[in-house]
């Protein structure tokens, strides 16, 4: 092996060490020692720098979300090519919450136990790969529901006979994830604009009705536990929203009488902030098509922390079209520009 080639290999290894140090906190010298064994001899039969000697550090969602302030997204189908809106939602959250971990739990992902596994998952989404605070993990429901009130329900329910299985399973997963990790859960059609200052909060869809599309709680908050208990006790998979907004509204009313909003001020229910509809729903669900309209004067949404685009209502499968001058195009340009740029150049957003 020539000296020049050997130098290039060492340089590449040093760059890799720096990357893994940022991601795992392991000192570069420790990683480098696992790659180059002292006293090893250079020969064609025993390479000094075999790639198989690289030792990737372990990784888990518990480690990544241990601070309790992470941002959580989930995908309860097996699809590995979600719509661009999903990637835009994650991208916008990673930009707004630069100092927090953003975790995307996907049912279609295999086990992820090492940084190498996580990097392979990340490679599927090149528009997200530049963000060090975005992580991918498999959504394993049986493991997730263990040690929660949801486990007996999960063992009993038959997804084949559930009308809204994708949605009710998502309702359960978000509760279990926030119970165990804490932080903020967001639906994957929510574009983040600015940081949410509250720690424990629910989002009002209307004055006396709570959404479950976005909420934040510390781990092991009593609201999460009571919600999981009521999820099971009052389960009816045939009623849309029974395990979602209706559940949250029922439990919130157990904490206190929900005060009326004054102007655009938020209100308190016990130690939970009930945020005004303007924070996430300045465009209510009956008017969801407005996101796909051309606006003469685009609003600044100064009273909002994020925008919920009501993708469930979008049975027409409308999408962002570059050059359309629609509101959603303006949002992509401003809050997920890398995703927008790839679509504008007609590049694939999947690896």
């Amino acid at each position: 092996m020539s000296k020049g080639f050997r130098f290039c290999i060492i340089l590449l290894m040093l760059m890799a060490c720096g990357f893994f140090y940022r991601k795992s906190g392991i000192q570069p010298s420790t990683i480098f020692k696992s790659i180059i064994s002292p006293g090893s001899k250079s020969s064609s039969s025993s390479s000094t720098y075999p790639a198989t000697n690289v030792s990737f550090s372990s990784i888990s969602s518990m480690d990544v979300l241990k601070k309790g302030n992470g941002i959580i997204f989930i995908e309860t189908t097996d699809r590995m090519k979600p719509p661009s809106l999903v990637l835009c939602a994650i991208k916008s959250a990673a930009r707004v919450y630069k100092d927090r971990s953003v975790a995307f739990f996907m049912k279609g992902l295999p086990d992820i136990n090492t940084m190498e596994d996580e990097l392979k998952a990340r490679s599927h989404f090149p528009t997200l790969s530049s963000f060090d605070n975005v992580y991918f993990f498999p959504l394993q429901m049986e493991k997730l529901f263990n040690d929660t009130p949801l486990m007996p329900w999960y063992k009993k329910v038959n997804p084949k006979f559930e009308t809204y299985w994708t949605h009710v399973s998502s309702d359960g997963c978000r509760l279990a994830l926030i119970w165990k990790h804490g932080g903020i859960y967001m639906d994957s059609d929510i574009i983040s604009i600015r940081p949410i200052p509250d720690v424990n909060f629910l989002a009002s869809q209307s004055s006396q009705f709570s959404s479950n599309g976005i909420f934040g709680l510390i781990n092991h908050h009593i609201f999460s536990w009571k919600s999981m208990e009521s999820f099971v006790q009052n389960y009816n998979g045939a009623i849309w929203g029974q395990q979602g907004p209706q559940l949250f509204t029922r439990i919130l009313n157990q904490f206190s009488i929900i005060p009326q909003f004054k102007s655009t001020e938020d209100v308190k229910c016990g130690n939970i902030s009930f945020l005004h509809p303007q924070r996430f729903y300045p465009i209510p669900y009956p008017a969801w098509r407005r996101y796909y309209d051309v606006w003469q004067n685009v609003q600044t949404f100064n009273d909002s922390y994020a925008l919920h685009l009501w993708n469930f209502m979008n049975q027409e499968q409308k999408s962002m079209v570059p050059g359309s001058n629609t509101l959603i195009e303006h949002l992509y340009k401003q809050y997920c520009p890398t995703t927008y740029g790839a679509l504008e150049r007609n590049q694939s957003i999947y690896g």
Side-chain angles (χ1 to χ4, degrees):
M1 182 182 292
S2 69
K3 290 183 178 180
F5 181 72
R6 188 179 305 161
F7 175 77
C8 290
I9 292 294
I10 293 174
L11 183 60
L12 287 172
M13 292 301 100
L14 285 171
M15 292 171 65
C17 290
F19 174 79
F20 287 118
Y21 173 64
R22 292 202 317 273
K23 299 293 289 184
S24 65
I26 298 175
Q27 291 297 326
S29 58
T30 303
I31 301 172
F32 196 65
K33 286 177 183 176
S34 71
I35 301 173
I36 302 177
S37 300
S40 61
K41 297 180 180 180
S42 174
S43 69
S44 58
S45 61
S46 178
S47 175
T48 311
Y49 315 107
T52 54
N53 282 354
V54 177
S55 177
F56 288 92
S57 60
S58 62
I59 187 172
S60 71
S61 58
M62 294 299 293
D63 294 330
V64 167
L65 298 171
K66 63 184 178 182
K67 290 184 179 179
N69 66 349
I71 315 299
I72 294 173
F73 294 89
I74 61 177
E75 173 60 62
T76 54
T77 72
D78 290 323
R79 68 181 180 181
M80 288 301 295
K81 291 185 177 181
S84 68
L85 179 55
V86 174
L87 303 185
C88 184
I90 297 170
K91 180 92 170 184
S92 66
R95 286 166 57 89
V96 169
Y97 301 96
K98 293 183 175 67
D99 60 340
R100 302 192 193 186
S101 296
V102 178
F104 189 22
F105 291 84
M106 303 183 73
K107 184 173 177 286
L109 279 178
D111 284 348
I112 289 180
N113 300 307
T114 67
M115 287 299 304
E116 182 182 25
D117 297 334
E118 202 276 333
L119 290 172
K120 286 180 180 178
R122 182 190 300 261
S123 68
H124 290 293
F125 309 102
T127 60
L128 298 175
S129 60
S130 62
F131 280 82
D132 287 345
N133 61 331
V134 176
Y135 298 85
F136 296 85
F137 295 104
L139 182 62
Q140 300 167 328
M141 294 188 195
E142 184 165 356
K143 182 178 179 181
L144 174 61
F145 294 148
N146 193 35
D147 296 326
T148 76
L150 297 174
M151 192 56 162
W153 161 79
Y154 181 70
K155 288 184 175 181
K156 181 180 178 181
V157 72
N158 188 338
K160 293 181 180 180
F161 300 110
E162 293 293 321
T163 306
Y164 301 112
W165 175 248
T166 298
H167 304 284
V168 296
S169 60
S170 174
D171 290 334
C173 287
R174 68 191 68 182
L175 282 169
L177 283 165
I178 292 299
W179 165 256
K180 291 187 173 184
H181 299 292
I184 297 174
Y185 166 81
M186 292 186 184
D187 275 353
S188 56
D189 58 348
I190 290 179
I191 296 179
S192 296
I193 296 177
R194 53 183 61 88
I196 303 166
D198 301 83
V199 176
N200 297 313
F201 71 88
L202 301 183
S204 61
Q205 193 169 310
S206 61
S207 62
Q208 296 290 299
F209 194 71
S210 177
S211 160
N212 76 328
I214 180 169
F215 64 99
L217 295 166
I218 60 172
N219 68 318
H220 293 179
H221 194 287
I222 188 62
F223 184 93
S224 301
W225 189 263
K226 284 185 174 294
S227 294
M228 289 188 288
E229 288 182 329
S230 181
F231 183 108
V232 176
Q233 293 165 3
N234 300 286
Y235 183 75
N236 188 335
I239 300 177
W240 170 255
Q242 172 76 1
Q243 280 66 237
Q246 293 180 34
L247 168 64
F248 272 38
T249 304
R250 290 197 305 271
I251 302 303
L252 187 61
N253 275 298
Q254 293 178 13
F255 274 65
S256 69
I257 297 174
I258 302 175
Q260 292 289 335
F261 289 108
K262 297 178 181 179
S263 184
T264 57
E265 295 179 0
D266 304 322
V267 297
K268 278 280 191 179
C269 291
N271 68 346
I272 296 176
S273 297
F274 193 45
L275 304 188
H276 192 279
Q278 284 293 316
R279 302 293 175 257
F280 308 105
Y281 306 111
I283 297 178
Y285 77 88
W288 68 269
R289 289 182 180 85
R290 294 190 65 195
Y291 283 111
Y292 298 90
D293 288 342
V294 175
W295 291 40
Q296 296 300 321
N297 298 302
V298 178
Q299 292 185 21
T300 56
F301 299 104
N302 287 334
D303 291 325
S304 302
Y305 301 133
L307 302 175
H308 194 161
L309 272 64
W310 303 108
N311 197 53
F312 176 73
M313 302 293 295
N314 187 8
Q315 301 302 310
E316 304 162 36
Q317 296 186 338
K318 290 178 177 288
S319 61
M320 191 285 296
V321 178
S324 61
N325 202 33
T326 55
L327 174 57
I328 191 172
E329 182 186 20
H330 287 285
L331 296 175
Y332 268 60
K333 282 182 177 180
Q334 188 167 358
Y335 301 109
C336 55
T338 306
T339 304
Y340 177 80
L343 294 171
E344 185 181 34
R345 294 187 297 272
N346 201 29
Q347 295 177 344
S348 175
I349 55 176
Y350 311 110

